[in-house]
Structure formats: C-alpha cells, structure tokens
Amino acid sequence: MKNIVILGSTGSIGTNALEIIRNKKEEFNVIGLSANSNHKLICEQIEEFKPKYVSIGTEEGKRIIEEKFSEVKVYVGREGLKKLGQIEEMDIILVAVIGAIGIEATSEAIKLGKRIALANKETMVAGGDYINKLLKENPKSEIIPVDSEHSAIFQSLMAGKKSQVKNLIITASGGTFRGKKLEDLKDVTVEQALKHPNWSMGRKITVDSSTLVNKGLEVIEAHQLFGMDYDKIKVVIHPQSIIHSLVEYDDNAVIAQLGVTDMKLPIQLAFTYPDRIQNNCLDTLDLLKVGNLTFEAPDREVFKGLDLAYRAGRIGKSMPTVLNAANEIAVDLFLNKKIKFLDIYKIIEKAMDNHEVEEIDNLDSILRIDQVTRKWVYDNYSNLD
Ligand code: NDP
Ligand code: MG
C-alpha cells in the first residue's frame, strides 16, 4: 500500500490521478490533497478518499473544510502546500499544481527522500538547477516524470545506455493553431485558444500548447530531467499525439513509447514504477483505429514560444525562471482578455531582454527572480511597443 499526496487534486491531472486510485484502492492510500478555490470538489474528494491532511488556497476554504471534517488537518496557501511536502508518512507526492508555486513542496519532499511524481513542469523550468542539486544531496529521492513526453522518454531510455543516446525527440501535437500564419493569429480569442485538438487539460497548459511555449518548457524540462544538452533535444510535430516521444541512440535505433491520449497511464506509472499494473480505467491503444501517424517540422517563425525557450535554456542560470514567470503572467493576462494572443511572445521576449542573468542555486533567489519578473510584466505589459 502506497501513501500518496496529491497537490492540485481538483485539476485535470489531479482528478485523473484520483480516478486511478479509485480503481486500485488496494494499492494506493490518499493521505494528502490540495486545491486552491474549488471548495466543493475538494470536499467531495475528502469525503471519498479520507485524507489526513489538506491544503486549500484561502482561510475561508479552511473554515469550510474544518466545519465538515473535524478529523482533517487543514493548512492554507503557499505554506500549506509546503506542509504537504513535509508529510513523513507519504511514499509519493504527485505535484500537479500549475506554475512555479509547486517548487517549495517539491523541495521539501526531496529533502525527505520521497518519490516525486512530477506533472508540474514549471517547477523544473523555474528551478531545475536547484532541484537537481537537492536530488544529488538526497539520493534516496527520485523524480518520475508525469508529463507524457517525459514519461515516454523515461520509458524509452530503459532500452539503452544514457551515454549512447544521440537525441531525445519530443513530439508535439502542434496545438489548436497548427498550420496558422502570424496574420491568422492576430485576433484569435481565448475560446479558440482553449480548444485543444487531442488533450483535455487545464486552461493554462492548453494556452501554452497553442503558443508552443508548452513545448519549449518541455525542452527545458527534458534538459533538466535527463541531463541532455540542448543540441540533442529535438521537437517534431506529430498531430495524432500517439507517439508520446522518442529516444534515438548512437546506432540510429529509435525507441518510442505509444499510447492513447490520456494522462492516466503516465500518472500511474509514476506511482508504480518499476511495476506496470493493469487498471480498468486505462484504455488500450487500437493502432488500426489510429491508422496514420504523421510528422512535420514546427513552424518556428510563427510559434516563437519554442525558440524563446531554447534561448532561455541555453543561457541558463536565472533565464528559464524569467521565461516561466513572464509566461505565467502573460497567459493569465490573455485568459483575462487584457492582452492579445501574440502579445504573449512579446511579453516573454521583453522580460528576457530586460533581465540581467545571475546564478541561482537556492530557493530564495528563484522565488525572488520569479516575483520580480511577475511584477515587471504587470507594470509593463500595456506599453511594450
Ligand atoms: P489545472 O488548472 O486543471 O489544475 C490546477 C490545480 O492546481 C487545481 O487543483 C487548482 O486548484 C490548483 N491550483 C491552481 N492555482 C493554485 C494556487 N495558486 N495555489 C494552490 N493550488 C493551485 O491544471 P492541470 O492539471 O492541467 O496542470 C497541472 C500541472 O500539470 C501543470 O504544471 C501542467 O503544466 C502539468 N501538466 C498537465 C497536463 C494535463 O494533461 N493537464 C499534461 C502535462 C503536464 P483549484 O481547482 O481549486 O483552482
Ligand atoms: Mg506534455
């Protein structure tokens, strides 16, 4: 029986994780859950899964939960997430909040030597060097990626030696606006950006997919998780999203992982690895129904998110933290209809141009640069021309 904590249990990844657990009650025990403002859903989850610890975004949420569940220990806000990262009895923490806010809880769980099932790519982008340093200092801890591409690479890396890897090949669906030109994207709406062709996900990552910033964040995530040079990380558009990513070896063998477009498989694998277990909620892949698998090059002129991320990643140090923070705020502004779609690129680029790179090897400096960047974007987004 594994004791599991889920940060972001009311989100897309969080609810998928609970679906897995619901079908495997004999394998997994939920001991911690967290949400920001969705009180109704987290209360239903507490009722069903009976966690000992909960973290919620506001004091009001805390009151609501405590009134209903006197036996549950309830924490609040950022500090609450951190507390859930410090639960001794847990075996695995699934970090599935959105944004760099996941970094503190992840750090705490690493210090306790726990397994991190990491969906929250922003943590690895904003603080990858620091997280890797912590992992080195705490060798009992490990990160098992949940992001489908990274899970696929993790699985494909089992076929050979790391020293004989030639390239990591990350696949991308191409997002909602694949094939569109700059002119077509000028006035696209939030509603259009949120219509992902293959995956059902939270709002932020869906916008990130449509800008290809998501793929850019994943390139940095891959660099940090697998220690691979940026020149050896390639991106290919694969509109069907059946091949989740590939590893090419020195002998030119290419090993891939395939599956349906459903995050439940990578989530479960992060819980059970090295075991692979049957679960009724996991669908089979029917290749005959899929029919065709196609590939194309990303349009880097239009979807600048990819190259902005390569640039930030290659510069390294504090620059990926800036890329991530600027993007988080830009997407939020776009979702709130304060800026246009293409302004997202402009904001990221200007925030990066404005930033003086510095070494960051501790949490305080990551959080400081994250905050400074967020403020800079809020102060400057309306006059970027
Ligand atoms: P969602 O928006 O669906 O869910 C986010 C979760 O985080 C919710 O539980 C939400 O609570 C909580 N949350 C949001 N803001 C805060 C905050 N300020 N403090 C505490 N909790 C907060 O996101 P996804 O599930 O789509 O994505 C989660 C992470 O997983 C992201 O990092 C994303 O990039 C990554 N990921 C997601 C994939 C997917 O298929 N969805 C695929 C690969 C990676 P509430 O409901 O109360 O707002
Ligand atoms: Mg992904």
Side-chain angles (χ1 to χ4, degrees):
M1 193 74 144
K2 287 176 177 145
N3 284 332
I4 309 236
V5 171
I6 302 178
L7 302 189
S9 62
T10 51
S12 161
I13 293 284
T15 50
N16 270 308
L18 288 173
E19 179 68 18
I20 289 164
I21 295 171
R22 185 175 287 123
N23 280 278
K24 283 284 165 192
K25 290 235 163 88
E26 67 287 6
E27 299 271 345
F28 308 119
N29 175 40
V30 174
I31 58 164
L33 293 175
S34 96
N36 189 33
S37 59
N38 194 342
H39 306 149
K40 185 168 174 285
L41 183 53
I42 194 138
C43 283
E44 289 170 19
Q45 294 177 342
I46 297 169
E47 183 81 49
E48 181 180 356
F49 292 96
K50 314 221 172 324
K52 278 165 84 174
Y53 310 94
V54 167
S55 175
I56 187 80
T58 60
E59 288 292 342
E60 187 210 346
K62 180 174 192 269
R63 260 197 317 279
I64 293 171
I65 296 169
E66 280 176 342
E67 258 171 38
K68 287 195 172 175
F69 307 98
S70 56
E71 68 289 4
V72 177
K73 176 80 194 149
V74 188
Y75 300 108
V76 180
R78 209 182 171 117
E79 191 57 28
L81 290 178
K82 189 172 166 182
K83 284 271 192 244
L84 291 201
Q86 295 169 331
I87 300 173
E88 281 283 356
E89 314 131 77
M90 75 180 160
D91 297 299
I92 301 170
I93 184 166
L94 171 64
V95 186
V97 287
I98 359 169
I101 195 156
I103 198 168
E104 281 165 292
T106 305
S107 311
E108 292 303 309
I110 293 174
K111 289 183 210 160
L112 286 181
K114 304 297 181 185
R115 172 178 294 191
I116 323 290
L118 189 69
N120 179 232
K121 65 193 83 186
E122 295 92 337
T123 279
M124 228 37 206
V125 174
D129 291 346
Y130 168 67
I131 295 290
N132 279 329
K133 189 179 105 184
L134 275 186
L135 284 167
K136 243 193 209 137
E137 291 164 5
N138 299 276
K140 268 181 67 194
S141 179
E142 60 184 347
I143 292 183
I144 310 289
V146 168
D147 210 349
S148 58
E149 296 76 4
H150 304 75
S151 176
I153 291 170
F154 177 75
Q155 295 173 62
S156 302
L157 283 172
M158 293 170 201
K161 289 186 180 159
K162 192 112 169 263
S163 59
Q164 293 166 353
V165 171
K166 189 163 142 193
N167 287 303
L168 303 182
I169 305 166
I170 300 180
T171 54
S173 69
T176 322
F177 300 131
R178 183 173 64 90
K180 299 272 188 255
K181 296 293 159 206
L182 273 179
E183 191 56 33
D184 308 323
L185 295 180
K186 266 188 174 162
D187 294 312
V188 291
T189 63
V190 170
E191 292 69 27
Q192 287 170 312
L194 287 177
K195 279 200 192 104
H196 197 282
N198 304 342
W199 296 94
S200 159
M201 311 181 286
R203 284 154 59 90
K204 192 252 175 189
I205 182 174
T206 306
V207 175
D208 284 348
S209 296
S210 64
T211 55
L212 280 201
V213 169
N214 181 52
K215 214 43 58 179
L217 298 176
E218 290 182 355
V219 167
I220 300 175
E221 184 187 12
H223 166 82
Q224 294 291 9
L225 286 173
F226 306 114
M228 200 63 60
D229 201 79
Y230 284 100
D231 293 336
K232 293 182 161 194
I233 305 175
K234 316 282 181 202
V235 171
V236 61
I237 304 286
H238 166 47
Q240 298 81 15
S241 300
I242 295 297
I243 297 182
H244 295 311
S245 279
L246 319 87
V247 175
E248 182 182 13
Y249 288 89
D250 284 338
D251 61 357
N252 293 339
V254 177
I255 309 291
Q257 186 256 329
L258 286 71
V260 293
T261 50
D262 182 349
M263 290 305 295
K264 288 198 277 295
L265 169 61
I267 296 168
Q268 177 173 289
L269 185 66
F271 289 168
T272 61
Y273 172 79
D275 290 324
R276 290 180 179 273
I277 63 172
Q278 185 278 339
N279 187 323
N280 289 337
C281 72
L282 298 175
D283 285 336
T284 48
L285 172 64
D286 184 340
L287 285 173
L288 297 180
K289 264 196 198 143
V290 175
N292 293 310
L293 300 177
T294 60
F295 306 94
E296 55 195 70
D299 185 343
R300 308 178 95 106
E301 297 293 313
V302 175
F303 299 97
K304 295 189 185 119
L306 194 52
D307 283 345
L308 285 168
Y310 270 102
R311 186 182 137 205
R314 286 196 166 102
I315 294 169
K317 299 179 182 162
S318 53
M319 200 52 107
T321 317
V322 171
L323 167 96
N324 179 67
N327 179 58
E328 282 193 34
I329 302 303
V331 172
D332 198 51
L333 290 168
F334 173 69
L335 286 170
N336 287 300
K337 308 194 174 174
K338 297 272 195 322
I339 60 167
K340 292 192 168 190
F341 183 77
L342 292 173
D343 292 336
I344 296 174
Y345 299 134
K346 216 187 281 175
I347 287 175
I348 298 172
E349 194 167 9
K350 298 268 177 182
M352 282 169 56
D353 288 346
N354 178 62
H355 175 66
E356 287 208 18
V357 182
E358 54 180 285
E359 291 286 347
I360 44 168
D361 58 357
N362 60 66
L363 193 55
D364 285 346
S365 53
I366 297 165
L367 298 178
R368 175 175 48 79
I369 288 166
D370 178 77
Q371 284 308 316
V372 168
T373 308
R374 283 164 199 267
K375 182 172 182 318
W376 186 89
V377 174
Y378 278 127
D379 290 347
N380 292 281
Y381 78 86
S382 53
N383 51 4
L384 285 177
D385 288 320

